[in-house]
Each structure stands twice: as structure tokens, then as C-alpha cells.
Amino acid sequence: MSALEPRDAEVAAAPIVPPSELEGGILRAPYRALSLGIVSVVLLIAFEATAVGTAMPVAARELDGVSLYAFAFSAYFTTSLFGMVLSGQWADRRGPLGPLATGIGGFAAGLLLSGTAGAMWMFILGRAVQGLGGGLVIVALYVVVSRAYPEHLRPSILAAFAASWVVPSVVGPLVAGTVTEHLGWRWVFVGIPVLVAAPLALALPQIRRRAAGPVSDAPAGPFDRRRIRLALGISLGAGLLQYAGQDLRWLSLLPAALGAVVLVPAVLGLLPRGTYRAVRGLPSVVLLRGIAAGSFIAAESFVPLMLVTQRGLSPTLAGLSLAVGGATWAAGSYVQSRPRMETYRTRLMVTGMVLVAAAIATAPTVLIAAVPVWIVAVAWAFGCFGMGTVIGSTSVLLLRLSPPKDAGANSAALQISDGLSNALLLAIGGAAFAALGGGTVGVAHGAGEASGSHPVAFVAVFLPMAAVALVGAWVGTRLKERTP
């Protein structure tokens, strides 16, 4: 029987939390500074994601790299896979402080490298460095939540993570679009690192006090070299597959085959046994996280490019079309965090994946001139609500199923599923996009005619991702064992 099945009995048997303990929640005096600090870290990541996504179409055009557009996104996720495993090992053995501080520094360094790049491949290298830092940060944050917060507060802090995307989702595209149009896209990248100081000043002292060091007083063991090698295998294999997907020649079959040979055993060694078969319980939680994140991010990455090139929107307006999604994502995360929703968590996650699939399938309807562009904003609002319920719920279930000593490794597995799915589905979508003429799409200026009209290239990205999201709805039905 899955550990998720007896949840009702577990709740009934759990000790009652006094009202005084619940009052104020994560902003009570013992948790206030820590909560504000780690939410500030997420705020930085959120601002980067929304701002960079807005500037990316212009950056790709000016660096003559539209054909490598998907690679600029997937390079981040590829290197983050290694960072996630390294961070899990590091945090479990020595505490989350080291990987968090190192990750924030790498994140900023990658932004500076991309912002000063003179060619698309150098830009992609910067994204790769940034991804390594991001992988270190995200797993370390989950370990902080696992160690520093009691179980009844974890849904609230995870909901606060989601809520911290609201302001960047609205302000990020507007600021990034304005800066891109008036100062140039490079300033979007080189300007963000100045925000690093505030999260470091707030978060690190509190993490040192409340969550630093190993779980027990026993001497920390050495790093698991096998897992590190497997992590390198995942990153290398995913990178080879992405390269093959972008270089559409027969010779590309060789790196594709080599990438698969390296990737498959590494994935099987790092994810919970039975993940790829959607075995009930933790494996299905990990798989659902990857399906949800990969299908949604792969589709969302092409929305600004589609609106700029096919409907003639400015980078600012294209980015703002997705802005409302930050608020609805936070709303979805808030809904899943309510205690009364615990009984309906599985049903909520299935519904969330159906909303994601519907949003992705609706987005390319704007390729028809008669369809108003605001349809994308409406669809993405519903899709982001679904993502808020699913991502928040998978995080809650993961931490519930993880003993403290395994929190880092299991959090890494969850994030590996997330990042690997992002990288692979972006590679697949990017290959389909390039094969159908997407690499020759130009970026229109102003609201006039878009150049290089290749609507089929965009359809080939969105519809398969909608189908993947529907598979996720089925996986959501397998989070619990059937009662005998």
C-alpha cells in the first residue's frame, strides 16, 4: 500500500496543533526573517524568468540564433540537472547553506555572461552556467523548508513561493520589454544580478541559524560518487539530444544515439524505481512533476516568440500577455495549501493537468488572424492556475514522503524530473520548430506585418505538448493505491 493511501487515518491520529501555533503561520516571530529571506530568493528567480523570457526573442534575432531559440532555454535546464543532484548530496551531508550561496553566485555569473555575449553559442553558455546555479538553489530551498518548518506550515511556505511570482509576472515583462526596446536586451541580463545582494543578506544568516549543518551529529559521509557520475550522465545525455535536435542532419543521429545510451541508465539510477512506469506513490509524484513542468514550460517558451513574429506585438506586450498567469498560479497554489483541500488533493491535481492541456492547445489559435491575441492571456491564466495546484501539491507530497535524512536526495529527484522533462521536451519542440521552418522566423518591429510566417512550426510545438499534459492527468490518478 502506498504511503499516500492512509492519509485520512494519519491526519486523525496526528497531534492537534494548538491555535497559538497556527496563528500567524510562517510570519510568526520564529519564522518571519527566514520566510522573508527565502521568499526573496524565489522572487529573484521569478523576476529573472519573466524578464529573460520577454527579452529572449530580440536577443536571439540580434545574435542570429533564432534556430537555436529552444536551446537557449533548454541549456539552462540541462546543467541544472547536475546542479540538483550535487545540491542534494551537499545539503544532506553538510546542510543547505553552502549550495544555496554558491548557487546564487553562479546564477548571477551566468546572467552576466549571457548579457555580454557576442554570439548565440556564448549566450547559451551563459544560460548553462546560470542553470547550474539555479539547480543548486532550488534543491537547497526544499531542504531548508524540510528542516526549518513543521509539516503543517510547509504548504503555506510553498504557497508563498508561488505567490512571490505574482509581482515579477506583472512587473517583469513590462520592465524587461521597456528596457529591451529603449536600452537593449543586454541590460535585462546584466541588470538582474544587482538584486542578488538583498536575498543573500536576508536568507543566509537565518539558514545558518535554523537549517545549517548535517541532519545528525554523526560525521558526514563522503559524496556518493555514483550519483554524481549519473548526474553528469544525465546532463551530457540531455545535451547531446538537444544538439542533435537542433542540427537537423543525418549525422545528428550519432550524437542522438550516444545521448540516449548515456541518459537512460542515468535517469533510471537517479529517479525512484518505477517512475517511468508511473508506479503508485512517490514514483508517480516525481513523474507527474516532470510531465507538468516540461509540457508547460516547453509551450510557454514559444508564446512570446509566436506573438512577436506572427501577430506583430512588441516584446513588452508579448510578455504582458502572460503576466496574469503569475497571479492565477499563486491562486492555484493557495487553493492547494488549504487544509480542507487535503481530501481532494488527487482530484485537484488531475483537474489542474486538464486545465494545463486546454491552455496549451488554445494558445496557437492566435495564429488565425481573426482570433484576438487576448485569448492567449485568458488561456494562460487558466493553465497557470492548474500549474499552481499541481506544482504545489507535488512538492507537499514529496516532503511528506521523505524522511529528513533523504529530503535532499528526494527533492533532487523531483527537480531532476522537472528539469529533465523541460530539457527533453524543449529539445523535441525545438527540433520540430526548426524542421518546419521556424529557424527562418524573423522578429517583427512594431505592430506591423510579422516577418517569416511559419505558423505550422508553432503548431508542431503546442499540440504535442497539450497531449503530454493530458498524459499527466492520467498519472495524477495514480498517486494513491487502490483500496482492497
Side-chain angles (χ1 to χ4, degrees):
M1 177 175 287
S2 167
L4 293 181
E5 181 59 29
R7 179 58 188 164
D8 293 338
E10 178 185 329
V11 171
I16 298 175
V17 180
S20 60
E21 285 293 307
L22 293 174
E23 185 178 356
I26 60 174
L27 293 180
R28 285 191 297 114
Y31 302 104
R32 185 180 303 123
L34 176 62
S35 298
L36 292 176
I38 61 177
V39 168
S40 296
V41 174
V42 178
L43 190 71
L44 167 66
I45 295 173
F47 189 83
E48 178 276 337
T50 55
V52 168
T54 300
M56 194 75 79
V58 178
R61 179 184 64 84
E62 291 192 4
L63 294 175
D64 194 26
V66 175
S67 62
L68 298 173
Y69 183 80
F71 215 165
F73 285 97
S74 59
Y76 178 99
F77 298 114
T78 300
T79 54
S80 70
L81 296 171
F82 177 72
M84 291 168 189
V85 175
L86 178 61
S87 184
Q89 296 262 318
W90 194 346
D92 280 344
R93 285 158 177 77
R94 301 175 185 174
L97 184 62
L100 184 61
T102 303
I104 292 176
F107 192 81
L111 283 167
L112 292 173
L113 187 58
S114 290
T116 56
M120 192 61 178
W121 281 109
M122 186 59 66
F123 179 89
I124 292 171
L125 176 61
R127 293 286 291 166
V129 173
Q130 188 185 347
L132 180 61
L136 290 170
V137 168
I138 191 64
V139 171
L141 284 177
Y142 274 81
V143 176
V144 170
V145 171
S146 175
R147 293 191 184 186
Y149 293 88
E151 184 175 351
H152 72 274
L153 288 181
R154 291 173 189 167
S156 296
I157 189 63
L158 293 172
F161 284 178
S164 68
W165 282 75
V166 175
V167 173
S169 295
V170 176
V171 176
L174 179 61
V175 173
T178 302
V179 170
T180 298
E181 293 175 28
H182 296 285
L183 297 178
W185 63 267
R186 295 181 185 277
W187 287 100
V188 174
F189 289 83
V190 300
I192 292 176
V194 300
L195 302 175
V196 170
L200 281 174
L202 282 170
L204 298 188
Q206 292 299 317
I207 294 172
R208 182 180 293 111
R209 186 170 69 89
R210 299 185 64 89
V215 175
S216 67
D217 294 331
F223 279 36
D224 187 337
R225 295 182 180 179
R226 174 180 173 274
R227 290 184 66 85
I228 297 296
R229 288 196 299 269
L230 292 175
L232 285 171
I234 282 186
S235 293
L236 177 61
L240 288 170
L241 288 173
Q242 291 166 54
Y243 174 79
Q246 295 295 317
D247 187 23
L248 300 176
R249 298 180 298 172
W250 286 108
L251 287 176
S252 299
L253 293 175
L254 181 59
L258 180 59
V261 168
V262 173
L263 181 66
V264 171
V267 171
L268 294 178
L270 287 174
L271 297 185
R273 187 183 301 274
T275 297
Y276 73 99
R277 293 184 287 112
V279 170
R280 295 178 182 275
L282 181 62
S284 287
V285 172
V286 172
L287 178 61
L288 179 58
R289 176 59 165 261
I291 289 175
S295 60
F296 188 81
I297 295 300
E300 186 179 57
S301 299
F302 284 86
V303 170
L305 185 66
M306 178 175 66
L307 294 177
V308 169
T309 62
Q310 305 303 301
R311 297 301 295 265
L313 269 64
S314 68
T316 303
L317 290 177
L320 285 174
S321 67
L322 305 179
V324 70
T328 57
W329 189 308
S333 187
Y334 174 81
V335 168
Q336 67 80 30
S337 73
R338 298 299 84 197
R340 70 182 65 179
M341 298 303 298
E342 189 61 47
T343 305
Y344 308 101
R345 188 174 295 281
T346 298
R347 190 180 307 172
L348 187 67
M349 296 170 77
V350 172
T351 303
M353 289 308 304
V354 172
L355 289 175
V356 171
I360 295 173
T362 301
T365 61
V366 298
L367 295 168
I368 303 171
V371 176
V373 293
W374 53 260
I375 289 294
V376 170
V378 173
W380 229 246
F382 281 98
C384 285
F385 180 87
M387 286 294 290
T389 64
V390 173
I391 297 300
S393 291
T394 55
S395 299
V396 169
L397 295 179
L398 185 282
L399 293 178
R400 182 180 302 157
L401 294 171
S402 300
K405 66 182 181 62
D406 295 328
N410 287 346
S411 296
L414 188 75
Q415 299 302 326
I416 286 169
S417 178
D418 187 319
L420 179 63
S421 181
N422 286 335
L424 293 182
L425 291 180
L426 273 166
I428 293 170
F433 181 74
L436 294 173
T440 61
V441 168
V443 178
H445 295 278
E449 282 287 323
S451 60
S453 179
H454 292 278
V456 175
F458 289 99
V459 173
V461 173
F462 286 98
L463 293 189
M465 297 308 150
V468 171
L470 284 178
V471 173
W474 170 77
V475 174
T477 66
R478 299 181 58 80
L479 299 179
K480 293 183 179 181
E481 293 279 5
R482 293 189 180 92
T483 54

